[in-house]
CSV table of all heavy atoms in Angstrom, one decimal:
chain,number,residue,atom,x,y,z
G,43,GLY,N,100.8,130.8,82.8
G,43,GLY,CA,99.7,131.6,83.2
G,43,GLY,C,100.1,132.8,83.9
G,43,GLY,O,101.4,133.0,84.0
G,44,GLY,N,99.2,133.6,84.3
G,44,GLY,CA,99.5,134.9,85.0
G,44,GLY,C,100.5,134.8,86.2
G,44,GLY,O,100.4,133.6,87.0
G,45,ASP,N,101.5,135.7,86.5
G,45,ASP,CA,102.3,135.8,87.6
G,45,ASP,C,103.4,134.8,87.7
G,45,ASP,O,104.1,134.8,88.7
G,45,ASP,CB,101.4,135.7,88.9
G,45,ASP,CG,102.1,136.6,90.0
G,45,ASP,OD1,102.6,137.4,89.7
G,45,ASP,OD2,102.1,136.1,91.2
G,46,MET,N,103.5,134.0,86.7
G,46,MET,CA,104.6,133.0,86.8
G,46,MET,C,105.8,133.4,85.7
G,46,MET,O,106.8,132.8,85.6
G,46,MET,CB,104.2,131.5,86.4
G,46,MET,CG,103.4,131.3,85.3
G,46,MET,SD,104.1,131.4,83.7
G,46,MET,CE,105.3,130.2,83.7
G,47,ILE,N,105.6,134.5,85.2
G,47,ILE,CA,106.6,135.2,84.3
G,47,ILE,C,107.3,136.3,84.9
G,47,ILE,O,106.7,137.1,85.8
G,47,ILE,CB,106.0,135.4,83.0
G,47,ILE,CG1,104.7,136.3,83.0
G,47,ILE,CG2,105.7,134.1,82.2
G,47,ILE,CD1,105.0,137.7,83.0
G,48,ALA,N,108.5,136.6,84.7
G,48,ALA,CA,109.2,137.9,84.9
G,48,ALA,C,109.1,138.8,83.6
G,48,ALA,O,108.7,140.0,83.9
G,48,ALA,CB,110.7,137.6,85.3
G,49,LEU,N,109.3,138.3,82.5
G,49,LEU,CA,109.3,139.2,81.2
G,49,LEU,C,108.9,138.4,80.1
G,49,LEU,O,109.5,137.2,79.9
G,49,LEU,CB,110.7,139.8,81.0
G,49,LEU,CG,110.8,140.5,79.7
G,49,LEU,CD1,109.9,141.8,79.9
G,49,LEU,CD2,112.3,141.0,79.5
G,50,VAL,N,108.0,138.7,79.3
G,50,VAL,CA,107.7,138.1,78.0
G,50,VAL,C,108.0,138.9,76.9
G,50,VAL,O,107.7,140.0,76.8
G,50,VAL,CB,106.1,137.7,78.0
G,50,VAL,CG1,105.6,137.2,76.7
G,50,VAL,CG2,105.6,137.0,79.3
G,51,GLY,N,108.9,138.3,76.1
G,51,GLY,CA,109.5,139.0,75.0
G,51,GLY,C,108.7,138.2,73.7
G,51,GLY,O,108.0,137.4,73.8
G,52,ASP,N,109.2,138.8,72.5
G,52,ASP,CA,108.6,138.2,71.3
G,52,ASP,C,109.3,136.8,71.0
G,52,ASP,O,108.5,136.0,70.4
G,52,ASP,CB,109.0,139.2,70.1
G,52,ASP,CG,108.3,140.5,70.3
G,52,ASP,OD1,107.2,140.6,70.8
G,52,ASP,OD2,108.8,141.5,69.7
G,53,ALA,N,110.4,136.6,71.4
G,53,ALA,CA,111.0,135.3,71.3
G,53,ALA,C,111.5,134.5,72.4
G,53,ALA,O,111.6,133.3,72.2
G,53,ALA,CB,112.2,135.5,70.2
G,54,THR,N,111.6,135.2,73.5
G,54,THR,CA,111.9,134.4,74.7
G,54,THR,C,111.0,134.9,75.9
G,54,THR,O,110.6,136.0,76.0
G,54,THR,CB,113.5,134.7,75.1
G,54,THR,OG1,113.6,136.0,75.2
G,54,THR,CG2,114.3,134.2,73.9
G,55,THR,N,111.2,134.0,76.9
G,55,THR,CA,110.4,134.5,78.3
G,55,THR,C,111.3,134.2,79.4
G,55,THR,O,112.0,133.1,79.4
G,55,THR,CB,109.0,133.5,78.3
G,55,THR,OG1,108.2,134.0,77.3
G,55,THR,CG2,108.3,133.9,79.6
G,56,THR,N,111.3,134.9,80.3
G,56,THR,CA,111.9,134.6,81.6
G,56,THR,C,110.9,134.3,82.7
G,56,THR,O,109.9,135.0,82.7
G,56,THR,CB,112.8,135.7,82.1
G,56,THR,OG1,112.2,136.9,82.2
G,56,THR,CG2,114.1,135.9,80.9
G,57,TRP,N,111.3,133.4,83.6
G,57,TRP,CA,110.3,133.1,84.7
G,57,TRP,C,110.5,133.8,86.0
G,57,TRP,O,111.5,134.3,86.1
G,57,TRP,CB,110.5,131.5,85.0
G,57,TRP,CG,110.6,130.5,83.8
G,57,TRP,CD1,111.5,129.7,83.5
G,57,TRP,CD2,109.6,130.5,82.6
G,57,TRP,NE1,111.3,129.1,82.2
G,57,TRP,CE2,110.0,129.5,81.8
G,57,TRP,CE3,108.5,131.1,82.4
G,57,TRP,CZ2,109.2,129.1,80.7
G,57,TRP,CZ3,107.6,130.8,81.2
G,57,TRP,CH2,108.1,129.8,80.3
G,58,ASN,N,109.5,133.9,86.7
G,58,ASN,CA,109.4,134.5,87.9
G,58,ASN,C,110.3,133.8,88.9
G,58,ASN,O,110.7,132.7,88.6
G,58,ASN,CB,108.0,134.7,88.4
G,58,ASN,CG,107.8,135.9,89.4
G,58,ASN,OD1,108.8,136.5,90.0
G,58,ASN,ND2,106.5,136.1,89.5
G,59,VAL,N,110.6,134.4,90.2
G,59,VAL,CA,111.3,133.7,91.2
G,59,VAL,C,110.4,132.7,91.8
G,59,VAL,O,109.2,132.7,91.7
G,59,VAL,CB,111.9,134.7,92.2
G,59,VAL,CG1,112.8,135.8,91.6
G,59,VAL,CG2,110.6,135.3,92.9
G,60,LEU,N,111.1,131.7,92.4
G,60,LEU,CA,110.4,130.7,93.2
G,60,LEU,C,109.6,131.3,94.4
G,60,LEU,O,110.2,132.3,95.0
G,60,LEU,CB,111.3,129.6,93.8
G,60,LEU,CG,112.0,128.8,92.6
G,60,LEU,CD1,113.2,127.9,93.3
G,60,LEU,CD2,111.1,127.9,91.9
G,61,PRO,N,108.4,130.9,94.7
G,61,PRO,CA,107.7,129.7,94.2
G,61,PRO,C,106.8,130.2,93.0
G,61,PRO,O,106.1,129.3,92.4
G,61,PRO,CB,106.8,129.4,95.4
G,61,PRO,CG,106.5,130.6,96.1
G,61,PRO,CD,107.8,131.4,96.0
G,62,HIS,N,106.8,131.5,92.7
G,62,HIS,CA,105.7,131.9,91.7
G,62,HIS,C,106.0,131.3,90.4
G,62,HIS,O,105.0,131.2,89.6
G,62,HIS,CB,105.9,133.5,91.6
G,62,HIS,CG,105.9,134.1,92.9
G,62,HIS,ND1,104.6,134.3,93.7
G,62,HIS,CD2,106.8,134.8,93.7
G,62,HIS,CE1,104.9,134.9,94.8
G,62,HIS,NE2,106.2,135.2,94.9
G,63,LYS,N,107.2,131.0,90.2
G,63,LYS,CA,107.5,130.3,88.7
G,63,LYS,C,106.4,129.0,88.5
G,63,LYS,O,106.2,128.7,87.3
G,63,LYS,CB,108.9,129.8,88.8
G,63,LYS,CG,109.4,128.9,87.7
G,63,LYS,CD,110.8,128.5,87.9
G,63,LYS,CE,111.3,127.5,86.8
G,63,LYS,NZ,112.7,127.2,87.1
G,64,PHE,N,106.0,128.4,89.6
G,64,PHE,CA,105.3,127.2,89.5
G,64,PHE,C,103.8,127.5,89.8
G,64,PHE,O,103.1,126.5,90.1
G,64,PHE,CB,105.9,126.0,90.3
G,64,PHE,CG,107.2,125.6,89.8
G,64,PHE,CD1,108.3,126.0,90.3
G,64,PHE,CD2,107.2,124.8,88.6
G,64,PHE,CE1,109.6,125.5,89.9
G,64,PHE,CE2,108.6,124.4,88.1
G,64,PHE,CZ,109.6,124.8,88.8
G,65,GLU,N,103.5,128.7,90.1
G,65,GLU,CA,102.1,129.0,90.6
G,65,GLU,C,101.4,129.9,89.6
G,65,GLU,O,101.0,131.0,89.7
G,65,GLU,CB,102.2,129.7,91.9
G,65,GLU,CG,102.6,128.7,93.0
G,65,GLU,CD,102.7,129.3,94.3
G,65,GLU,OE1,102.5,130.5,94.5
G,65,GLU,OE2,103.1,128.7,95.4
G,66,ALA,N,101.0,129.2,88.3
G,66,ALA,CA,100.3,130.1,87.4
G,66,ALA,C,98.9,130.3,87.6
G,66,ALA,O,98.2,129.5,88.2
G,66,ALA,CB,100.5,129.2,86.1
G,67,GLY,N,98.4,131.5,87.1
G,67,GLY,CA,97.1,131.8,87.3
G,67,GLY,C,96.6,132.2,88.7
G,67,GLY,O,97.4,132.5,89.5
G,68,THR,N,95.1,132.1,88.8
G,68,THR,CA,94.6,132.5,90.1
G,68,THR,C,94.8,131.5,91.1
G,68,THR,O,94.5,130.3,90.9
G,68,THR,CB,93.0,132.7,89.8
G,68,THR,OG1,92.9,133.6,88.8
G,68,THR,CG2,92.4,133.2,91.1
G,69,PRO,N,95.2,131.8,92.3
G,69,PRO,CA,95.7,130.8,93.2
G,69,PRO,C,94.4,130.3,93.9
G,69,PRO,O,93.3,130.9,93.9
G,69,PRO,CB,96.6,131.6,94.3
G,69,PRO,CG,96.3,132.8,94.0
G,69,PRO,CD,95.7,133.1,92.6
G,70,ASN,N,94.5,129.1,94.5
G,70,ASN,CA,93.4,128.4,95.3
G,70,ASN,C,93.4,129.1,96.6
G,70,ASN,O,93.8,128.6,97.6
G,70,ASN,CB,93.5,127.1,95.4
G,70,ASN,CG,92.6,126.3,96.1
G,70,ASN,OD1,91.4,126.8,96.7
G,70,ASN,ND2,92.7,125.0,96.4
G,71,VAL,N,92.8,130.4,96.8
G,71,VAL,CA,93.1,131.1,98.0
G,71,VAL,C,92.3,130.5,99.1
G,71,VAL,O,92.8,130.3,100.2
G,71,VAL,CB,92.6,132.6,97.7
G,71,VAL,CG1,92.6,133.4,99.1
G,71,VAL,CG2,93.5,133.3,96.7
G,72,GLU,N,91.1,130.1,98.9
G,72,GLU,CA,90.2,129.5,100.0
G,72,GLU,C,90.9,128.3,100.5
G,72,GLU,O,90.8,127.8,101.5
G,72,GLU,CB,88.8,129.3,99.6
G,72,GLU,CG,88.6,128.4,98.5
G,72,GLU,CD,88.8,128.8,97.1
G,72,GLU,OE1,89.3,129.9,96.8
G,72,GLU,OE2,88.5,128.0,96.2
G,73,GLY,N,91.4,127.4,99.4
G,73,GLY,CA,92.1,126.2,99.9
G,73,GLY,C,93.3,126.4,100.7
G,73,GLY,O,93.6,125.8,101.8
G,74,ALA,N,94.1,127.5,100.4
G,74,ALA,CA,95.3,127.9,101.2
G,74,ALA,C,94.9,128.4,102.6
G,74,ALA,O,95.6,128.0,103.5
G,74,ALA,CB,96.2,128.9,100.5
G,75,VAL,N,93.9,129.0,102.7
G,75,VAL,CA,93.5,129.6,104.1
G,75,VAL,C,93.0,128.4,104.8
G,75,VAL,O,93.4,128.3,106.0
G,75,VAL,CB,92.2,130.6,103.8
G,75,VAL,CG1,91.6,131.0,105.2
G,75,VAL,CG2,92.8,131.9,103.3
G,76,GLY,N,92.2,127.4,104.2
G,76,GLY,CA,91.8,126.3,105.0
G,76,GLY,C,92.8,125.4,105.4
G,76,GLY,O,92.9,124.8,106.5
G,77,LEU,N,93.9,125.2,104.5
G,77,LEU,CA,95.0,124.4,104.9
G,77,LEU,C,95.8,125.1,105.9
G,77,LEU,O,96.3,124.3,106.8
G,77,LEU,CB,95.9,124.2,103.5
G,77,LEU,CG,97.2,123.4,103.7
G,77,LEU,CD1,96.8,122.0,104.4
G,77,LEU,CD2,97.9,123.2,102.5
G,78,ALA,N,96.0,126.4,105.9
G,78,ALA,CA,96.8,127.1,107.0
G,78,ALA,C,96.0,126.9,108.4
G,78,ALA,O,96.7,126.6,109.4
G,78,ALA,CB,96.9,128.5,106.5
G,79,ALA,N,94.6,126.8,108.3
G,79,ALA,CA,94.0,126.6,109.5
G,79,ALA,C,94.1,125.4,110.1
G,79,ALA,O,94.2,124.9,111.3
G,79,ALA,CB,92.4,127.1,109.4
G,80,ALA,N,94.2,124.3,109.2
G,80,ALA,CA,94.3,122.9,109.5
G,80,ALA,C,95.7,122.7,110.2
G,80,ALA,O,95.8,122.1,111.1
G,80,ALA,CB,94.1,122.0,108.4
G,81,VAL,N,96.7,123.3,109.5
G,81,VAL,CA,98.0,123.2,110.0
G,81,VAL,C,98.2,123.8,111.4
G,81,VAL,O,98.8,123.2,112.3
G,81,VAL,CB,99.2,123.8,109.1
G,81,VAL,CG1,100.4,124.0,109.7
G,81,VAL,CG2,99.2,123.1,107.8
G,82,GLY,N,97.6,125.0,111.6
G,82,GLY,CA,97.6,125.5,112.9
G,82,GLY,C,96.8,124.7,114.0
G,82,GLY,O,97.3,124.5,115.1
Side-chain angles (χ1 to χ4, degrees):
D45 208 36
M46 46 74 61
I47 51 89
L49 177 67
V50 176
D52 294 332
T54 61
T55 298
T56 56
W57 310 127
N58 204 342
V59 297
L60 295 172
H62 308 288
K63 173 182 173 182
F64 294 104
E65 296 180 353
T68 304
N70 179 5
V71 175
E72 67 278 13
V75 170
L77 180 56
V81 170

